[in-house]
Amino acid sequence: MVDHTVSKKRRLSNGMLRKDAAAHTQERLEELIKRFDAVGESIIQELPALILDLEERVPKVFTRTEDIVELEDAFAKKECSSEGIQSGKPNPVIVEVSRIVTKEFDRASDKLSRLQRYVLMHVPREEDGNNFGVEVQAQFNGKLGEYLKWCDDTQDENKVYHQARAEIIRQMDFERAVEEKETMCEKEDKVTKSKATKSVENVPQLGDLLSYVARHDALQYFTLKNELQELISMYLHCYMYVKHNYEKIRWPRGKSDGMNMQMY
């Protein structure tokens, strides 16, 4: 015979456990949301320092003072010379600045993702009227999404540089053909023969290909420099937008609609 009293107690006990688990989950989620909120606020406060830091670092990272034509000539004499290409090493100048730019774009993508999450956290429930702040918030969120895509696309384009360079070098056949020349000399009724050999370049278009690589590398150098400067512009736009619209982003329908936090 089933003891209904015991079954009821078990159901009540299980119900209490589920409620406790749900309450614990909700508590953990609230703590996580607070951390996300704090991270977003921290990134907003950090924007001025990011702008100043990058602006100071650009001339320290890109130390070459030549224009693109002069840099091409410099690369052609050393990094992109026949000897430089045959060393099997990539252009060290490009490799060094590319590593720095890649790290900066990775850092930017991380901060943009966290900032976008911060904005989405403060999207209010849908209502009729009083939506101007919501529109400003949505516009900023959309711009952050565009910047994220730009960062990803830029990283992909920079990877293509090495592939394109490899394709140019693949057309260079550095194997040398051997040219033989036989000469005869008659002296005092004696005939002597001699044979001389020399190697010659087997690629008539090698000079053009080397110049092509030098131009390719010089262009990449200035492309990377421009990308880092554009990153400064991106941070600056985010900073100015938030500075002028912080309350609409943080409290799109007024401060009474969310936590009371101050920035400016």
Side-chain angles (χ1 to χ4, degrees):
M1 182 176 179
V2 178
D3 190 336
H4 295 287
T5 303
V6 174
S7 298
K8 185 176 181 181
K9 287 181 178 179
R10 286 177 179 172
R11 288 197 299 272
L12 289 173
S13 177
N14 291 336
M16 290 296 294
L17 288 174
R18 285 194 294 271
K19 286 182 179 179
D20 289 343
H24 180 62
T25 299
Q26 185 63 33
E27 183 180 346
R28 291 176 59 197
L29 179 60
E30 292 296 331
E31 289 296 325
L32 183 61
I33 289 174
K34 287 180 181 179
R35 289 205 302 272
F36 286 165
D37 193 77
V39 168
E41 292 286 341
S42 175
I43 291 173
I44 290 172
Q45 298 288 352
E46 190 183 352
L47 286 173
L50 287 171
I51 296 166
L52 293 173
D53 175 63
L54 277 181
E55 182 66 20
E56 291 175 359
R57 288 180 61 202
V58 168
K60 296 177 182 178
V61 173
F62 295 91
T63 57
R64 304 299 290 255
T65 58
E66 305 99 323
D67 62 29
I68 190 168
V69 175
E70 293 169 340
L71 186 60
E72 178 185 343
D73 291 340
F75 282 162
K77 292 176 182 177
K78 186 178 180 181
E79 291 85 0
C80 299
S81 65
S82 179
E83 293 76 14
I85 297 298
Q86 290 186 78
S87 71
K89 298 178 181 179
N91 188 327
V93 177
I94 303 300
V95 170
E96 181 60 28
V97 295
S98 181
R99 289 179 62 187
I100 295 171
V101 172
T102 297
K103 288 181 180 180
E104 288 301 329
F105 269 83
D106 281 342
R107 182 168 71 152
S109 294
D110 178 69
K111 292 186 182 300
L112 288 170
S113 296
R114 294 174 186 272
L115 190 56
Q116 190 175 47
R117 181 171 57 194
Y118 167 85
V119 174
L120 291 173
M121 282 172 50
H122 297 291
V123 174
R125 65 178 179 271
E126 294 185 7
E127 293 179 359
D128 294 331
N130 192 23
N131 286 322
F132 179 67
V134 179
E135 292 173 2
V136 171
Q137 188 186 64
Q139 184 176 352
F140 185 51
N141 180 59
K143 196 63 182 178
L144 291 174
E146 291 176 11
Y147 281 142
L148 270 170
K149 186 178 184 305
W150 171 68
C151 287
D152 290 340
D153 291 345
T154 300
Q155 295 283 58
D156 289 340
E157 289 170 7
N158 288 338
K159 293 175 186 176
V160 173
Y161 153 78
H162 291 286
Q163 181 181 357
R165 192 176 194 269
E167 288 297 329
I168 301 170
I169 294 173
R170 191 173 288 114
Q171 299 177 52
M172 301 179 186
D173 185 359
F174 286 104
E175 293 182 3
R176 303 170 75 87
V178 176
E179 183 180 86
E180 296 185 352
K181 185 177 182 181
E182 188 176 276
T183 59
M184 298 180 64
C185 179
E186 294 185 12
K187 187 177 181 181
E188 298 178 355
D189 298 328
K190 292 183 179 180
V191 178
T192 59
K193 294 182 179 181
S194 63
K195 182 183 291 186
T197 61
K198 68 175 182 178
S199 58
V200 294
E201 295 289 354
N202 198 29
V203 185
Q205 71 274 22
L206 182 60
D208 287 330
L209 290 171
L210 290 171
S211 296
Y212 190 13
V213 174
R215 169 59 64 90
H216 184 69
D217 285 5
L219 182 61
Q220 181 66 9
Y221 182 88
F222 281 95
T223 297
L224 291 167
K225 184 177 182 180
N226 290 337
E227 287 171 355
L228 204 57
Q229 291 172 332
E230 288 170 4
L231 201 58
I232 297 172
S233 298
M234 182 201 74
Y235 282 136
L236 182 61
H237 177 255
C238 290
Y239 168 71
M240 296 304 296
Y241 196 97
V242 173
K243 180 179 180 180
H244 295 309
N245 300 281
Y246 175 73
E247 291 192 359
K248 293 182 180 65
I249 294 170
R250 183 64 181 78
W251 302 286
R253 288 204 173 97
K255 292 185 179 181
S256 60
D257 196 53
M259 292 181 289
N260 187 21
M261 299 176 66
Q262 294 288 341
M263 176 183 171
Y264 296 102

